[in-house]
């Protein structure tokens, strides 16, 4: 079953699946995209303010995006995104942490020039086994069920 | 030479290096983190609104973060980040596009409870060979040169 724009209401919540992140994945991602010592070098990370290796923030965002794809984007008539606001890294993610999260519909609007879509904003919270690690707000463009407007 | 908080002024601009993104890299990133058909499947991408394979937005952000690390973060007394606002994807990035960009200091403030730091916000613009593809605003925490306040 595909969810269309009309199927969303403010306050709707969706639970994400979970994914565990390994030390090797943390280092591999960070070597490519975020090679700070505390993301790629275990010894240097011990001496850093984190006291050990931590995942790149963009790695956390990317894993969360994958969890959102599997739980939500694959089930809705998603036509693209306008962007993301208020990306906040709340706590470090360490090797063998398991990430999961929730997504809540926080805003719905009808763009004047695109009657076939609604703009839907999702407040995303990702957490590990201990605490919230990331919040962000994603702005999606979702097709209406009946496109004959 | 390391740049400290006192070395930044509003309006300062930094040029990023460049990186070319291959079809294989686009598919590899998206299979892990953003497996929408137009990111991972060339045939499906042809039929999509993009008319061909395009990079995940989070891949563009991650590559831009790498360019920022090499051009800027590695040279400054960066103590961490508060997060990122206003991530906007302006145009698709396709296989063999070359990304580069600029970073401008747009806000500097002195947090009351952390006299050893200044908070510095960077407006980031990434572009390919044709046009701007991404804008975002990163909020960094940078150490002061003289920590004896």
């Amino acid at each position: 079953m595909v969810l269309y724009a009309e199927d969303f209401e403010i306050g709707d919540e969706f639970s994400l699946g979970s994914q565990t992140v390994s030390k090797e994945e943390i280092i591999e991602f960070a070597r490519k995209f975020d090679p700070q010592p505390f993301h790629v070098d275990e010894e240097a990370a011990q001496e850093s303010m984190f006291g050990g290796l931590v995942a790149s923030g963009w790695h956390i965002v990317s894993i969360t995006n994958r969890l959102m794809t599997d739980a939500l984007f694959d089930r809705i008539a998603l036509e693209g995104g306008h962007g993301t606001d208020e990306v906040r890294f709340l706590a470090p993610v360490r090797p063998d942490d398991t990430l999961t999260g929730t997504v809540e519909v926080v805003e719905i609007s009808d763009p004047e020039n695109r009657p076939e879509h609604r703009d839907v904003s999702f407040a995303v919270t990702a957490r590990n086994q201990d605490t919230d690690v990331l919040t962000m707000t994603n702005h999606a463009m979702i097709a209406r069920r009946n496109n004959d407007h």
Side-chain angles (χ1 to χ4, degrees), chain A:
Chain A
M1 195 190 74
V2 175
L3 295 175
Y4 288 87
E6 296 90 334
D7 301 321
F8 290 88
E9 287 184 21
I10 288 177
D12 284 354
E13 274 201 22
F14 302 88
S15 292
L16 304 183
S18 68
Q19 188 175 318
T20 300
V21 58
S22 71
K23 180 176 79 177
E24 291 72 23
E25 288 166 332
I26 287 174
I27 293 172
E28 184 192 357
F29 186 99
R31 276 193 181 144
K32 285 183 189 155
F33 302 119
D34 199 356
Q36 299 275 343
F38 41 80
H39 297 318
V40 295
D41 180 334
E42 280 195 277
E43 267 184 51
Q46 295 281 354
E47 306 299 314
S48 77
M49 59 182 156
F50 297 112
L53 211 59
V54 297
S56 165
W58 298 120
H59 194 184
I60 305 170
V61 169
S62 296
I63 292 171
T64 304
N65 189 73
R66 174 57 186 264
L67 295 175
M68 292 176 68
T69 304
D70 295 346
L72 192 61
F73 298 159
D74 278 353
R75 297 171 48 207
I76 68 181
L78 187 68
E79 297 273 319
H82 297 295
T84 298
D85 282 313
E86 298 170 331
V87 180
R88 294 293 178 272
F89 303 113
L90 307 175
V93 169
R94 302 177 189 276
D96 303 321
D97 276 9
T98 298
L99 298 180
T100 183
T102 52
V103 174
E104 185 185 349
V105 176
V106 289
E107 203 177 328
I108 299 177
S109 64
D110 295 314
E112 272 183 37
N113 54 342
R114 289 181 283 105
E116 71 279 19
H117 293 135
R118 302 190 90 173
D119 292 331
V120 178
S121 296
F122 297 104
V124 184
T125 304
R127 55 181 183 277
N128 64 9
Q129 57 287 345
D130 299 318
T131 188
D132 292 348
V133 297
L134 164 74
T135 52
M136 61 181 174
T137 305
N138 285 23
H139 307 292
M141 206 164 76
I142 303 179
R144 288 174 178 274
R145 177 173 284 106
N146 178 359
N147 267 320
D148 309 327
H149 291 267

